[in-house]
Amino acid sequence: MNVTSATKTVNTILNEVRSGKDLSPLEGLTLLQQSKSEIISEIQQTADQLRANQVGHTVTYVINRNVNFTNICEQHCSFCAFRRDDGEDGAFWLDIAQILEKASDGVQRGATEICMQGGLNSEAKRNGTSLDFYLELVTSIKKTFPQLHLHAFSPQEVQFIAREDQISYEDVITALRDAGLGSMPGTAAEVLEDAVRRVICPEKINSETWLEIVSLAHKLGLPTTSTMLCGQIESKEQQISHLDQLRSLQQNSILQGYPARITEFILLPFVGQEAPKPLRNRVGRDQPVLADTLLLTAVSRLYLGNWIPNHQPSWVKLGLNGAVEALRWGCNDIGGTLMEEHITSMAGAQGGTCMEVDTLQQAIQSIDRPFQQRSTIYEYL
């Protein structure tokens, strides 16, 4: 395809998007395959315009405290520098008192949310069941800090509990919800293409199971987020397929009248500095390529924005400057303060593990956009 016909094709696609039309997978792929700076600039401007139309100019943030309660994990994902075996150097498993101490620290610093995830530790049981262990995590925090929103336990953790206790996903989600869980992170999605998953996370749930558990959470009234681990071995076609499956899942939740849905989409570019060598060598770099992430950020807005309006970059992975730049490419949220983060930082990310509120506010003001604190589910506070 020559430049003229490529430009014409892109212009036609972008005009249709501006009029409110959803991208088809082929159109999304066409945009993602562009390499000419002037065409990419058009895509960026359209994503920024669409963001303004869909959610306005205000950039939101959440004051949250991240708690990784254990890094002991039965799985061996090829991108993970966080996991340890029990007894291995660097392995940890926080007890309830330590978790409550971290939650208390978060509350004192203004947190409205505790975000909690950990490794899959088959020894983590109470009364002989995994579910009781996870319920204790929820009830301990909610009993002590009822005002906190608990955003915790990915679809992978739900499947793990269900498998360990030989109960249904519905039983797990219902029990966690009734104990006080407020929402579920859409992590462990990685790329929703099993050909990719078989290489980078062969022990993880497959794409179908991830989609099933997230849909079930929506049906049972638990909002979720959504993510994509990008920039490792996946193709552009597989990136678009991932976006398409997320959009279809959200459309189904709305069509079925489920009480909850996906609240946000977050791109998680691969950080490989400390990742296991086989994947790091295969990818061939240690840090994300900002230009690639920004184009995918823009295309994600164009592909999902009608259905998932809130888009967030990862300042942990991109650094704060990279995340601020992503606000020009379709993102409307800068994420959370985190206060502590282990999974990405142990992989060698250079963005840091804690962000002060005034730092986030100043970063947003640096591009002349207003800021607003929000709740986990995007209510202005």
Side-chain angles (χ1 to χ4, degrees):
M1 186 184 286
N2 63 42
V3 175
T4 310
S5 64
T7 305
K8 185 180 178 185
T9 305
V10 169
N11 283 339
T12 304
I13 293 168
L14 294 180
N15 283 332
E16 289 178 341
V17 170
R18 289 185 196 107
S19 71
K21 180 177 174 286
D22 278 335
L23 287 175
S24 70
L26 185 58
E27 290 168 337
L29 182 60
T30 298
L31 297 182
L32 207 50
Q33 288 173 330
Q34 299 308 311
S35 58
K36 297 271 188 243
S37 60
E38 63 271 23
I39 299 179
I40 291 173
S41 180
E42 273 291 304
I43 295 169
Q44 178 257 322
Q45 290 169 32
T46 306
D48 197 44
Q49 179 189 331
L50 208 63
R51 180 270 311 153
N53 295 345
Q54 289 168 343
V55 286
H57 290 294
T58 301
V59 178
T60 49
Y61 64 89
V62 63
I63 304 180
N64 59 355
R65 175 89 164 72
N66 203 49
V67 179
N68 300 123
F69 57 89
T70 184
N71 63 349
I72 299 168
C73 188
E74 66 174 21
Q75 295 189 347
H76 304 78
C77 299
S78 67
F79 52 83
C80 185
F82 172 71
R83 73 158 307 279
R84 296 290 186 274
D85 289 320
D86 193 10
E88 187 181 349
D89 189 38
F92 69 87
W93 182 4
L94 304 182
D95 60 28
I96 294 296
Q98 291 169 306
I99 291 169
L100 288 176
E101 191 179 321
K102 290 178 184 292
S104 177
D105 170 66
V107 168
Q108 287 165 24
R109 292 157 72 178
T112 60
E113 170 194 303
I114 294 292
C115 178
M116 189 160 54
Q117 295 176 89
L120 307 176
N121 182 358
S122 57
E123 297 298 309
K125 289 185 166 61
R126 293 284 182 273
N127 308 315
T129 77
S130 284
L131 181 58
D132 279 4
F133 169 80
Y134 283 84
L135 289 174
E136 185 179 27
L137 296 180
V138 175
T139 55
S140 298
I141 292 172
K142 291 298 288 186
K143 190 184 295 181
T144 313
F145 305 105
Q147 77 278 20
L148 284 176
H149 180 106
L150 193 51
H151 179 62
F153 314 134
S154 71
Q156 178 63 66
E157 287 165 283
V158 169
Q159 186 270 349
F160 171 75
I161 297 164
R163 187 203 75 195
E164 285 289 298
D165 293 355
Q166 298 186 316
I167 55 177
S168 69
Y169 304 147
E170 184 165 354
D171 288 342
V172 175
I173 296 168
T174 302
L176 291 169
R177 179 201 67 193
D178 292 351
L181 185 66
S183 58
M184 181 190 296
T187 45
E190 319 315 357
V191 178
L192 293 171
E193 284 287 319
D194 289 336
V196 176
R197 300 177 80 81
R198 280 192 289 271
V199 175
I200 66 169
C201 53
E203 298 159 295
K204 264 200 169 92
I205 53 175
N206 61 20
S207 304
E208 184 183 356
T209 304
W210 189 94
L211 293 163
E212 177 189 353
I213 291 172
V214 172
S215 181
L216 187 55
H218 296 166
K219 183 180 179 181
L220 295 171
L222 266 192
T224 72
T225 61
S226 60
T227 61
M228 185 201 304
L229 177 66
C230 60
Q232 19 91 27
I233 65 163
E234 84 287 358
S235 65
K236 289 179 169 62
E237 288 86 351
Q238 288 165 331
Q239 290 175 341
I240 292 295
S241 172
H242 180 101
L243 296 176
D244 196 61
Q245 291 180 80
L246 290 181
R247 189 173 72 186
S248 295
L249 182 143
Q250 182 82 324
Q251 288 170 329
N252 183 65
S253 292
I254 293 167
L255 183 67
Q256 298 294 334
Y258 292 161
R261 56 196 61 169
I262 296 170
T263 60
E264 68 186 9
F265 173 71
I266 313 165
L267 272 183
L268 303 172
F270 172 72
V271 176
Q273 187 171 308
E274 304 299 332
K277 275 184 180 170
L279 185 63
R280 189 168 83 234
N281 292 342
R282 187 165 172 174
V283 174
R285 57 181 159 67
D286 291 339
Q287 298 296 330
V289 177
L290 182 60
D292 294 349
T293 307
L294 292 173
L295 179 57
L296 184 55
T297 297
V299 173
S300 298
R301 164 62 67 183
L302 301 179
Y303 208 93
L304 299 174
N306 288 333
W307 302 96
I308 305 174
N310 298 305
H311 289 227
Q312 178 192 126
S314 170
W315 58 255
V316 177
K317 294 174 183 290
L318 291 176
L320 187 56
N321 289 340
V324 169
E325 183 60 25
L327 296 174
R328 304 178 193 269
W329 292 70
C331 288
N332 63 296
D333 184 83
I334 196 78
T337 52
L338 293 184
M339 302 187 193
E340 177 182 31
E341 195 284 331
H342 292 294
I343 295 172
T344 300
S345 55
M346 287 171 73
Q350 297 169 352
T353 63
C354 176
M355 204 59 71
E356 298 300 330
V357 173
D358 61 351
T359 306
L360 291 178
Q361 292 174 345
Q362 288 165 17
I364 294 162
Q365 286 177 315
S366 75
I367 56 166
D368 297 321
R369 299 261 290 278
F371 58 77
Q372 174 67 51
Q373 185 186 350
R374 64 164 171 90
S375 72
T376 305
I377 55 173
Y378 283 81
E379 299 160 330
Y380 281 8
L381 297 178

